[in-house]
Amino acid sequence: EVHFVESGGGLVQTGGSLRLSCEVSGFPFDDYAIGWFRQAPGKEREGVLCITRSDGSGDTYYGDSVKGRFTISSDNASNTKYLQMNSLKPEDTAVYYCAADSSGTGLCLEEVFDYWGQGTQVTVSS
């Protein structure tokens, strides 16, 4: 059974930083893509940042709104993925989800990812 443990969300002022963590366990495949998605109130879930390999290598997709501000990294020993968010803006306020994709498509689309974490709230105050 696949388990995700997400943490790191919270309240931060504009211009601040947060680092989200996602520990993945029980995945039935040796390799998979990792994605970070977010959903703001009244909006559809969008892809923030995806990487095609679970060890942190491979191709990386950045959503247009986060390029230059967000990065992804991995601690392979603990199988934990991180989303580093810098220069945060009020429009970054959302519930952030970690997800895994075993299909190998390399697409950063919600419908492609088949395993999802519980989400963590990020609120950026102006």
Side-chain angles (χ1 to χ4, degrees):
E1 185 176 353
V2 181
H3 285 282
F4 292 82
V5 178
E6 292 190 51
S7 62
L11 174 64
V12 65
Q13 291 184 333
T14 296
S17 298
L18 282 175
R19 188 176 76 161
L20 306 184
S21 301
C22 175
E23 182 179 355
V24 183
S25 62
F27 205 79
F29 301 97
D30 292 335
D31 196 17
Y32 47 92
I34 286 291
W36 287 95
F37 294 79
R38 68 185 181 187
Q39 188 166 22
K43 295 187 177 181
E44 295 184 351
R45 194 174 298 184
E46 65 170 341
V48 174
L49 197 158
C50 296
I51 193 163
T52 56
R53 298 198 60 180
S54 57
D55 63 359
S57 64
D59 297 328
T60 305
Y61 163 86
Y62 295 88
D64 288 340
S65 62
V66 305
K67 286 180 181 177
R69 301 188 298 124
F70 291 13
T71 57
I72 192 171
S73 62
S74 294
D75 179 347
N76 295 328
S78 65
N79 211 21
T80 301
K81 322 303 177 184
Y82 300 99
L83 179 67
Q84 179 67 43
M85 307 185 295
N86 299 325
S87 302
L88 283 161
K89 305 174 182 180
E91 50 264 44
D92 295 318
T93 295
V95 178
Y96 283 71
Y97 298 89
C98 175
D101 163 34
S102 59
S103 70
T105 64
L107 299 175
C108 196
L109 299 173
E110 177 184 5
E111 56 265 34
V112 169
F113 283 75
D114 40 9
Y115 299 93
W116 290 83
Q118 79 279 10
T120 184
Q121 176 71 47
V122 171
T123 303
V124 185
S125 63
S126 58

